[in-house]
Amino acid sequence: MIRLNRRPAALLALAAALALAGCTPVTPEVAPTVTPPSASAPTASSSAPPVAPSFVADGSAADNLPLFTQVVQTVWAGPDRAAGRAYVDALVAAGFDKAAMQVTADQTTIGNAAESIEFSVRWQDDCLVGQVGPSISDPVAAVLPGLTAGGCLIGQTRAIDW
């Protein structure tokens, strides 16, 4: 009669059970959200073009984030994608207040191109903040809380004197 050592057999069974458990995907049950179409909402067959973001002077920073984002993406797609001034000028052209803006330097202190450029618009207690540069794959735009001391960006910024 062959006698099996029970310890290795138990370990082998446990390892097999763990391996099989790892192969079984666990997916949470999520009920689909169904929103009935409203009379004012365009349908898929509607030929109405999408509405472009616009400046909302009496709105919040969140209300103006779509326009801010569009401006950032437009400049990023152009030839001046690494120039902070291009973002400031484009944001001013879109209606944002230049006096409420901050921008970081385009170059390091030794004259190399900056890895990223940050720029912002203070909007009441919040800030519209953008970041672009060669170290960032895609432009970033977000609404963040403003600094209690004023402004939006921490650290050295350059004068917007043009």
Side-chain angles (χ1 to χ4, degrees), residues 78-160:
D80 293 328
R81 68 185 325 175
R85 181 176 181 157
Y87 293 93
V88 170
D89 291 347
L91 289 166
V92 169
F96 293 97
D97 180 12
K98 185 188 273 189
M101 294 184 191
Q102 290 180 289
V103 64
T104 60
D106 299 347
Q107 295 185 343
T108 66
T109 55
I110 59 171
N112 295 330
E115 287 296 314
S116 69
I117 302 166
E118 293 82 29
F119 44 89
S120 66
V121 179
R122 180 73 184 226
W123 196 278
Q124 299 161 358
D125 292 336
D126 292 322
C127 295
L128 292 156
V129 179
Q131 184 177 18
V132 297
S135 67
I136 299 168
S137 59
D138 292 316
V140 176
V143 175
L144 299 172
L147 301 173
T148 55
C152 300
L153 303 179
I154 296 173
Q156 185 78 27
T157 60
R158 69 184 218 195
I160 300 175

Side-chain angles (χ1 to χ4, degrees), residues 12-125:
L12 184 59
L14 178 61
L18 289 174
L20 289 175
C23 294
T24 307
V26 178
T27 56
E29 292 292 325
V30 178
T33 303
V34 178
T35 305
S38 67
S40 63
T43 61
S45 63
S46 175
S47 62
V51 177
S54 60
F55 185 74
V56 185
D58 58 346
S60 66
D63 293 335
N64 285 288
L65 181 59
L67 178 60
F68 183 88
T69 301
Q70 181 183 52
V71 169
V72 171
Q73 290 172 344
T74 299
V75 175
W76 178 253
D80 293 328
R81 68 185 325 175
R85 181 176 181 157
Y87 293 93
V88 170
D89 291 347
L91 289 166
V92 169
F96 293 97
D97 180 12
K98 185 188 273 189
M101 294 184 191
Q102 290 180 289
V103 64
T104 60
D106 299 347
Q107 295 185 343
T108 66
T109 55
I110 59 171
N112 295 330
E115 287 296 314
S116 69
I117 302 166
E118 293 82 29
F119 44 89
S120 66
V121 179
R122 180 73 184 226
W123 196 278
Q124 299 161 358
D125 292 336

